[in-house]
Amino acid sequence: MPDLSRRGFLAVTAASLSVRALPQIATKPSGRRILTLVYDKSIGAMRAIDRLVP
């Protein structure tokens, strides 16, 4: 198994979860997507929050 850092592990986990969730999101076009940009102090950068509003 490759030697992963904490950041690498989180990236791989997020990628695998998005692959599982993507077909479900693509099949549910009902509702409206709202994209909000917020400043996250913990990482010191802007972060995008995507919400699905029915």
Side-chain angles (χ1 to χ4, degrees):
M1 181 164 174
D3 191 25
L4 291 175
S5 64
R6 180 175 179 258
R7 184 174 287 177
F9 175 75
L10 291 174
V12 169
T13 304
S16 65
L17 290 175
S18 66
V19 168
R20 293 176 107 190
L22 189 61
Q24 294 173 357
I25 293 172
T27 58
K28 291 185 177 181
S30 64
R32 195 170 73 178
R33 291 185 158 280
I34 298 177
L35 180 66
T36 308
L37 293 174
V38 296
Y39 184 75
D40 193 347
K41 291 181 184 178
S42 64
I43 60 173
M46 295 296 285
R47 189 168 60 118
I49 299 174
D50 191 21
R51 292 186 299 151
L52 185 63
V53 178

